Amino acid sequence: PSQMPRGVRGDEDEPSMTGASLTFYADRFESTLMEDGRRVTIARGNVYIGQAPGGSDQYMELRAQEAVIFSDQLGEDGKPLPVKDTYSPMSMPLSGGRENVTGVYLQGDVVMSRGERYMTGPEAYYDFTTDRAIMTKGVFRTVQQERNVPIIMRFNEGRVLSSREMIFRDVQVSTSEFYTPTYHFGAKSVYMMDMTPYDAEGEKLSQDHWMAEMKHSTLNVRGTPVMYM
């Protein structure tokens, strides 16, 4: 498999995902450097992107069949180079070494995972500059560790707001892998925040702890709502 150059952003001692380097693999890819200095890379076949601020508990993985990766050039000091003015014939050509991956569009059997929680869907976009992502018509899975019970949410739209926050819209919540479970909670929106304490290296200091809020929810039996909350 092919490996892309890794770009480093921010302070490497900072556990935030925006300061972590990327590792990228694919069966094949094509890369084009645009006139404004930005690069567009098209990857096909077993696409894999990994990013970690240090500890394995916060390690993030992105997988798909195809991807479009967007990146900016970095100068020798590690800072982004100024964007070239493509409208001015006197603008200076860009030069530099490393590159900063700013975002990636994923398509085909997409998996976005971090620790024991992961999302799957047909397509997604991840913005590395803000640690935000969006996925449509997907499934979110995690485990309630104290009782080892799976939690499965099917949603029309899921957004990653930060490395600790997510929000889902038009959601079906259950403990069943079946598309139509016997019992499930329906909700217009579900907001979740990871309240687990982590050390400076990104390692967990306790068991997973979540705060969740469901709005306009219903209790459903065999697909029929029997209670509104």
Side-chain angles (χ1 to χ4, degrees):
S2 305
Q3 182 174 9
M4 288 281 290
R6 293 190 293 178
V8 179
R9 300 185 307 281
D11 185 354
E12 294 185 4
D13 295 330
E14 171 63 41
S16 169
M17 297 301 290
T18 55
S21 60
L22 293 178
T23 302
F24 172 73
Y25 299 95
D27 291 342
R28 59 190 183 278
F29 59 86
E30 303 172 6
S31 182
T32 301
L33 186 62
M34 310 301 289
E35 291 184 357
D36 62 359
R38 297 183 175 93
R39 184 183 298 277
V40 177
T41 302
I42 299 175
R44 293 184 173 91
N46 300 310
V47 178
Y48 171 87
I49 299 174
Q51 184 187 43
S56 60
D57 291 324
Q58 285 289 289
Y59 193 82
M60 183 186 69
E61 293 182 323
L62 305 175
R63 300 177 185 269
Q65 293 302 314
E66 297 179 321
V68 181
I69 300 99
F70 306 93
S71 59
D72 293 331
Q73 287 185 309
L74 298 178
E76 294 182 358
D77 58 358
K79 296 181 179 180
L81 293 172
V83 175
K84 179 181 178 182
D85 182 4
T86 58
Y87 297 98
S88 172
M90 301 301 293
S91 59
M92 297 297 292
L94 291 175
S95 62
R98 296 178 300 169
E99 295 191 3
N100 180 50
V101 177
T102 58
V104 57
Y105 169 75
L106 305 150
Q107 187 177 53
D109 302 325
V110 178
V111 178
M112 300 171 55
S113 65
R114 180 177 280 132
E116 293 186 355
R117 61 186 191 270
Y118 62 99
M119 297 164 59
T120 59
E123 59 182 352
Y125 180 80
Y126 199 102
D127 186 336
F128 290 103
T129 63
T130 60
D131 272 345
R132 293 193 170 198
I134 182 171
M135 176 181 287
T136 58
K137 299 186 184 301
V139 180
F140 171 83
R141 295 176 174 86
T142 189
V143 176
Q144 205 282 338
Q145 293 183 336
E146 293 181 355
R147 296 185 296 164
N148 195 30
V149 175
I151 299 175
I152 300 168
M153 295 195 297
R154 299 182 182 274
F155 56 86
N156 278 338
E157 179 185 281
R159 291 180 180 267
V160 176
L161 305 179
S162 70
S163 60
R164 286 178 174 263
E165 295 174 282
M166 295 173 290
I167 188 168
F168 305 93
R169 304 191 189 281
D170 300 325
V171 191
Q172 179 192 85
V173 185
S174 71
T175 60
S176 171
E177 289 279 359
F178 289 106
Y179 185 81
T180 306
T182 303
Y183 304 96
H184 78 269
F185 285 99
K188 191 66 177 177
S189 67
V190 177
Y191 171 82
M192 299 180 66
M193 172 176 277
D194 183 3
M195 306 293 288
T196 309
Y198 296 89
D199 62 19
E201 300 299 325
E203 298 288 352
K204 288 190 293 188
L205 299 177
S206 71
Q207 285 188 329
D208 288 342
H209 178 61
W210 287 84
M211 184 275 288
E213 180 183 62
M214 300 175 64
K215 290 186 177 181
H216 297 292
S217 56
T218 57
L219 172 62
N220 297 261
V221 180
R222 300 187 182 277
T224 301
V226 296
M227 184 183 298
Y228 172 81
M229 294 161 283

